[in-house]
Amino acid sequence: MKNHIQTGMLLAWILAGATVFAGPSGFTLNDKEYFERQGVQVMAYQDIYPEGHQGGVVIIMHGTRIASNGDLRLDETPGQWQPVPKQISRTVEKAGSLITVNLTYPDSSRNLRGFNPIKYPDFYFNYTVKTRSEGAAIVVTVDLNRPLPSFLTGKAGFNLELFPGCLFGKTWAMDDQSGIFPRQANGPGMGCRQGEGAVAEPMVTGRRLVVAPEDEELRMSIESRNGELQLIDGRYAHNNGWFVVRTPVAAGATVNAVEWMITPHVIDGWIGEPVIHVSQIGYHPAQRKTALIELDQNDKKRGDAKLLRIGADGARRVVVSQKGVDMGMFLRYRYLGFDFTHVKDPGVYMVKYGNTVSQPFRIEADVYERHVWQPTLEYFLPVQMCHMRVNEKYRVWHGLCHMDDARMAPVDQNHFDGYRQGPSTLTAFKPGDAVPGINIGGWHDAGDYDLRVESQSGEVYILTQTYEAFGIQYDETLVDQKNRIVEIHQPDGKPDLLQQIEHGVLSIVGGYRSLGRFYRGIICPMLRQYVLLGDGSTMTDGLIYSPALKEGERTGTHSAVPDDRWVFTEDNRRRDLVTAAHLAAASRVLKGFNDSLSVQCLEIAEAVYGRLVRNAEPSGRSGIHLAGELLLTTAKVEYRDYILNNRESVVKGIGGLAGLLGGMLAKINDPAFTEEVTAAARTYAERNLKEGSENPFGVPYRPRVWGAGWDIQDFGVRQYFLHKAFPEIFSAEPMFNALNFILGVHPGSNTASFASGVGSRSAIVAYGVNRADWSYIPGGVSSGTALIRPDFPELLDWPFLWQQQEYVMGGGATNFMFLVLAARELLDGTEQ
């Protein structure tokens, strides 16, 4: 086999170490319905997100999720669009220390949304996975209700995925063979089967695998009782793959088709080290300053927390030493609060608790002035700009891209990324027609390179709110729309915020004027394009597809390659109203900067109002949103009257209308209406305070699979506007809590700021367009700490988990920029 070290002494040492599993008595099934043995936990089917490497059997060892997705799969190393099972039932028997899960293949409800590149014949089967404790081991058994079809023999098997990020450079031992987990995927492969991609040849096969025998915290053995084990590098077939341990299901097997004994090493008496959460940039002297100390639930010691001031000579002086305040349990950790608000002297500080020391941070009046909000405007937004070439001195972030946008999407089409085109194009264009006027403006979304209309208009809106609230005239970027060039760090005499608003509006307005309606989205037609890791200009040839040309032919404007992105349309009243509201707001700030575009924004917004609101059934908060923005832009009585006649929608939707309320109430100037809205605001404030008190972070936060960073930022922005409109009801404190959450005060062992390149420690491996390079885009903001159900918060330094590290458009990074500017504004007046 490949990559083996068969030297006698080394192998004997590895195997000897691998067989010693010290620790207390065996695994127990706890009240949270997972197996636990001191610092090791084994979950069984509490997560159901296999596409995101969360699901099936999950193993967490001493604070690290080393394995996940233990389940029966139909491929050696399945990717994002392979079939997944549907969970039917899950039964927990504490007395028998047994978890039984019944599942069925395939889960058609999920596969209908996805594209399956492997054409499976019609089939189904049910199976049961039993997970039980057996002393120091966990035994997993798979039973099938009938033998698998012959075409799955050798392919389908029980897979367990090993997280590569914690195993690079570690060793493995399989029976009498050993090797090292490689940093990159290496060949050879087993070749391509009909209709399938290549699969890596197993790194090794055998009956007993020991993972990382040299590492006390990660050592784990997996033994197959009735079939061989294979260790395969899943990254060979999929860049975002993990290492896979698997046992193929034998032909004809049903009962006990697979049985494994998994024995994680347990360090006797292990207790996780404290984690200190602080803002990674620091604090203004006037703001509240509270560090959170996160403790293992079994850590009963309580020492003093200390604030250290760092001198220019490196000396550390204790400024504050005191006991932390118990903030209670959240998820699996206990939190202590360490308040040092009274410290106002400028300088560099660190917090120390026990042997743990935080990253350095500043206390300075100018803490929000530089290197905080600027990277979003200087880097992230320019890098994401579509239909442009983006340069940064010697670097080209991406070439001129997608100039062949876009062909009308086929009807009755369910796209693999969720777009759906109904039985009509809803326009004068036929399926496949080239739609002119939309190869301009817009921003790429994360790594998908698509343009969703809600992302485009949402980005325009928060940028518009930022400009109106703070009047930022910052200019560090040249944007040349005529020549399609962007130059980072080359001022051009125009406010960057307005240029970005213009760029987003050009896409939305261009689509509307060409299609006669808003587009739903613009996205590539082929999966091979969609998974592109690299320069977006390579996704298409930039030439409009012409069916009249023969293969290989091209002109200066057209080619025979049908790689042009598709444009989708839809009938969606709510989305149309919200998009029109965003244009109505953008019209105000573009006036005097791009007057013709400003007029077009207002014309479209009023046309949508006339079609969907005037003389139509009430449209709830979305209709109020549009009428409110039009009122602020035009001061027309019609819009005022609509709002007053539908005041119940304002009361019910007060949180979502936060950005409008202050200006809208002043324009309407109706005391009775203002009193009614104020009463609703009090109720909303009480609910927010209650939800914020449920955790030590002071924000509404109920973790789920996806990181909640974007939602918490959005909450913070709304709190700013509510504070400005109702200062006697809404404190600014929750807004500062939201900002601090993004900057590092969030759960889990990773204390990084979600804002890339911002602060002492930040997310510098993120799910952006350059993720394959293990890199980041300054000013991008990741989704943040995710939840491994039921109680393990996780933020991995890994570029391929979108639910933890993805950048998005539509407010992700720009909400962060807004919060920083809002904090600066409020603190300049020492308001909090």
Side-chain angles (χ1 to χ4, degrees):
M1 303 304 293
K2 311 301 181 287
N3 197 27
H4 297 159
I5 306 170
Q6 298 192 12
T7 320
M9 289 183 63
L10 177 59
L11 188 56
W13 175 84
I14 291 173
L15 291 175
T19 57
V20 178
F21 293 98
S25 58
F27 281 93
T28 58
L29 190 49
N30 66 21
D31 292 337
K32 294 182 179 180
E33 299 188 348
Y34 60 76
F35 299 98
E36 187 168 23
R37 188 174 174 227
Q38 288 216 14
V40 177
Q41 299 85 37
V42 179
M43 289 83 166
Y45 293 87
Q46 290 177 289
D47 260 329
I48 312 173
Y49 193 40
E51 303 96 322
H53 301 278
Q54 286 183 230
V57 176
V58 176
I59 302 171
I60 297 171
M61 297 184 64
H62 308 106
T64 298
R65 181 168 63 117
I66 187 175
S68 191
N69 265 4
D71 201 355
L72 190 67
R73 300 304 299 269
L74 306 186
D75 301 89
E76 293 91 338
T77 57
Q80 187 175 345
W81 289 276
Q82 263 71 32
V84 296
K86 181 177 183 179
Q87 187 167 311
I88 304 300
S89 65
R90 180 178 183 271
T91 304
V92 178
E93 301 175 41
K94 284 198 69 175
S97 198
L98 171 68
I99 299 174
T100 303
V101 183
N102 294 305
L103 306 100
T104 186
Y105 259 110
D107 183 353
S108 58
S109 65
R110 299 176 77 161
N111 293 332
L112 284 174
R113 184 181 185 275
F115 170 78
N116 179 11
I118 302 176
K119 305 299 183 183
Y120 291 98
D122 292 333
F123 75 99
Y124 81 93
F125 65 90
N126 301 325
Y127 66 102
T128 300
V129 179
K130 297 178 181 177
T131 310
R132 71 179 191 274
S133 63
E134 191 174 287
I138 296 293
V139 176
V140 180
T141 305
V142 181
D143 298 328
L144 284 70
N145 72 322
R146 62 186 178 120
L148 294 180
S150 59
F151 72 90
L152 288 177
T153 300
K155 287 185 55 184
F158 187 83
N159 290 12
L160 180 67
E161 298 178 354
L162 305 179
F163 175 52
C166 68
L167 293 175
F168 291 147
K170 306 289 185 184
T171 68
W172 51 260
M174 179 82 86
D175 299 343
D176 62 345
Q177 304 167 82
S178 63
I180 297 174
F181 287 100
R183 180 162 286 275
Q184 70 287 325
N186 302 315
M190 294 191 292
C192 296
R193 293 187 287 259
Q194 178 98 24
E196 304 177 33
V199 178
E201 188 175 296
M203 296 162 62
V204 68
T205 61
R207 298 300 291 261
R208 184 172 183 271
L209 171 70
V210 180
V211 177
E214 72 279 15
D215 192 316
E216 289 284 298
E217 295 193 346
L218 298 178
R219 183 163 73 243
M220 171 177 65
S221 74
I222 302 171
E223 183 175 351
S224 175
R225 289 176 168 174
N226 58 357
E228 77 168 10
L229 291 173
Q230 301 173 342
L231 177 61
I232 304 177
D233 194 335
R235 300 170 301 157
Y236 184 90
H238 310 281
N239 294 79
N240 58 359
W242 290 20
F243 297 114
V244 175
V245 184
R246 68 188 308 269
T247 292
V249 174
T254 53
V255 178
N256 255 32
V258 176
E259 186 172 53
W260 282 7
M261 183 171 70
I262 303 172
T263 310
H265 175 62
V266 174
I267 299 175
D268 193 10
W270 183 89
I271 293 177
E273 290 294 321
V275 177
I276 300 173
H277 297 281
V278 296
S279 166
Q280 293 293 327
I281 65 164
Y283 306 87
H284 188 285
Q287 79 177 102
R288 182 178 174 184
K289 311 171 193 72
T290 303
L292 289 182
I293 300 166
E294 183 179 274
L295 301 177
D296 188 301
Q297 60 186 333
N298 295 315
D299 188 348
K300 307 303 181 184
K301 296 179 181 178
R302 294 294 182 269
D304 283 356
K306 298 178 181 180
L307 180 68
L308 310 178
R309 183 169 182 179
I310 314 304
D313 60 355
R316 300 182 179 188
R317 180 171 63 88
V318 177
V319 177
V320 179
S321 180
Q322 64 191 36
K323 298 290 185 185
V325 177
D326 192 337
M327 306 286 284
M329 290 289 297
F330 184 70
L331 299 176
R332 62 169 55 194
Y333 300 115
R334 181 165 293 281
Y335 288 87
L336 304 179
F338 175 47
D339 191 328
F340 51 98
T341 301
H342 64 282
V343 177
K344 301 181 185 297
D345 291 342
V348 176
Y349 295 83
M350 303 169 82
V351 172
K352 182 178 182 181
Y353 182 83
N355 294 322
T356 303
V357 181
S358 74
Q359 284 79 28
F361 57 88
R362 300 167 66 228
I363 296 178
E364 293 281 357
D366 67 351
V367 71
Y368 297 113
E369 290 296 327
R370 293 190 64 187
H371 314 299
V372 188
W373 61 268
Q374 292 91 341
T376 298
L377 191 56
E378 289 184 31
Y379 287 96
F380 182 71
L381 289 170
V383 169
Q384 299 300 121
M385 292 171 77
C386 189
H387 306 115
M388 307 289 275
R389 174 186 167 110
V390 181
N391 302 324
E392 182 202 350
K393 306 307 177 186
Y394 311 145
R395 180 178 193 172
V396 178
W397 278 92
H398 67 75
L400 179 61
C401 62
H402 301 114
M403 291 307 294
D404 43 5
D405 278 346
R407 297 175 68 202
M408 193 68 233
V411 296
D412 297 317
Q413 173 73 27
N414 286 342
H415 189 270
F416 48 78
D417 197 37
Y419 293 96
R420 296 185 180 185
Q421 188 67 44
S424 167
T425 67
L426 304 175
T427 74
F429 294 98
K430 298 176 182 178
D433 283 353
V435 179
I438 55 177
N439 60 348
I440 187 170
W443 301 276
H444 299 137
D445 186 34
D448 303 344
Y449 289 106
D450 63 326
L451 280 65
R452 292 179 183 266
V453 72
E454 66 269 35
S455 298
Q456 305 303 307
S457 73
E459 195 71 25
V460 165
Y461 192 52
I462 186 63
L463 288 170
T464 296
Q465 291 177 312
T466 303
Y467 190 79
E468 289 191 317
F470 311 116
I472 299 298
Q473 301 297 310
Y474 199 72
D475 174 27
E476 284 293 326
T477 308
L478 179 147
V479 179
D480 183 346
Q481 291 288 349
K482 180 179 179 181
N483 294 301
R484 312 262 188 173
I485 293 288
V486 174
E487 297 283 354
I488 295 174
H489 292 157
Q490 185 171 321
D492 61 359
K494 301 175 183 179
D496 291 345
L497 264 177
L498 291 181
Q499 289 181 306
Q500 290 297 333
I501 293 168
E502 175 188 53
H503 192 71
V505 166
L506 284 170
S507 174
I508 303 165
V509 169
Y512 190 95
R513 287 165 65 87
S514 292
L515 296 165
R517 63 190 311 115
F518 295 125
Y519 60 73
R520 169 68 189 94
I522 302 170
I523 192 167
C524 57
M526 293 175 281
L527 189 63
R528 183 66 184 88
Q529 295 172 291
Y530 180 78
V531 298
L532 171 68
L533 296 175
D535 190 328
S537 66
T538 65
M539 179 177 283
T540 74
D541 61 9
L543 301 173
I544 300 169
Y545 170 67
S546 171
L549 295 176
K550 297 178 181 178
E551 184 177 354
E553 290 184 340
R554 62 169 56 198
T555 69
T557 56
H558 291 73
S559 81
V561 181
D563 60 356
D564 311 26
R565 293 194 295 189
W566 289 346
V567 56
F568 287 77
T569 58
E570 66 173 352
D571 268 327
N572 188 314
R573 187 186 187 201
R574 186 199 64 79
R575 195 159 12 239
D576 284 355
L577 291 172
V578 172
T579 303
H582 295 166
L583 290 184
S587 174
R588 297 193 295 270
V589 299
L590 288 174
K591 188 175 182 179
F593 181 78
N594 187 329
D595 287 330
S596 62
L597 195 58
S598 171
V599 169
Q600 290 169 11
C601 285
L602 184 56
E603 288 176 346
I604 292 171
E606 293 201 299
V608 171
Y609 180 91
R611 178 168 57 89
L612 297 180
V613 180
R614 187 185 294 131
N615 303 321
E617 289 293 318
S619 49
R621 190 179 75 190
S622 302
I624 295 293
H625 190 183
L626 176 53
E629 291 295 354
L630 285 171
L631 175 64
L632 295 180
T633 304
T634 69
K636 290 182 180 179
V637 174
E638 176 184 8
Y639 305 126
R640 178 183 185 274
D641 291 345
Y642 178 84
I643 294 167
L644 289 175
N645 291 334
N646 293 275
R647 62 183 66 204
E648 67 280 358
S649 294
V650 179
V651 171
K652 291 179 181 178
I654 193 166
L657 297 170
L660 271 174
L661 289 175
M664 193 169 71
L665 291 175
K667 279 280 187 185
I668 292 174
N669 192 25
D670 183 305
F673 179 61
T674 299
E675 185 176 342
E676 193 173 350
V677 173
T678 302
R682 286 195 178 93
T683 302
Y684 182 71
E686 291 170 2
R687 190 182 78 191
N688 280 346
L689 286 174
K690 181 178 181 298
E691 291 183 7
S693 67
E694 294 174 356
N695 63 73
F697 307 101
V699 293
Y701 178 42
R702 293 170 179 171
R704 54 191 189 278
V705 170
W706 277 72
W710 306 327
D711 292 340
I712 289 172
Q713 287 179 142
D714 181 68
F715 164 80
V717 171
R718 283 185 278 117
Q719 289 302 299
Y720 167 83
F721 282 116
L722 290 167
H723 172 69
K724 298 292 283 189
F726 308 101
E728 73 286 357
I729 298 175
F730 291 91
S731 164
E733 189 64 34
M735 186 208 80
F736 285 94
N737 293 342
L739 178 58
N740 286 336
F741 190 95
I742 304 305
L743 286 171
V745 187
H746 48 71
S749 60
N750 190 335
T751 61
S753 157
F754 298 162
S756 292
V758 176
S760 296
R761 181 183 182 188
S762 69
I764 55 172
V765 175
Y767 192 97
V769 295
N770 56 350
R771 60 190 179 277
D773 301 322
W774 282 67
S775 191
Y776 68 101
I777 303 170
V781 177
S782 69
S783 37
T785 307
L787 178 68
I788 309 303
R789 292 174 178 165
D791 66 350
F792 183 68
E794 180 184 78
L795 181 62
L796 294 173
D797 289 323
W798 181 253
F800 297 113
L801 287 180
W802 50 84
Q803 70 269 32
Q804 297 186 19
Q805 294 286 15
E806 184 174 13
Y807 301 141
V808 292
M809 305 307 295
T814 38
N815 274 338
F816 168 73
M817 179 170 69
F818 185 101
L819 285 177
V820 176
L821 291 167
R824 187 179 75 169
E825 179 207 68
L826 295 180
L827 289 166
D828 278 350
T830 65
E831 178 185 358
Q832 190 173 0

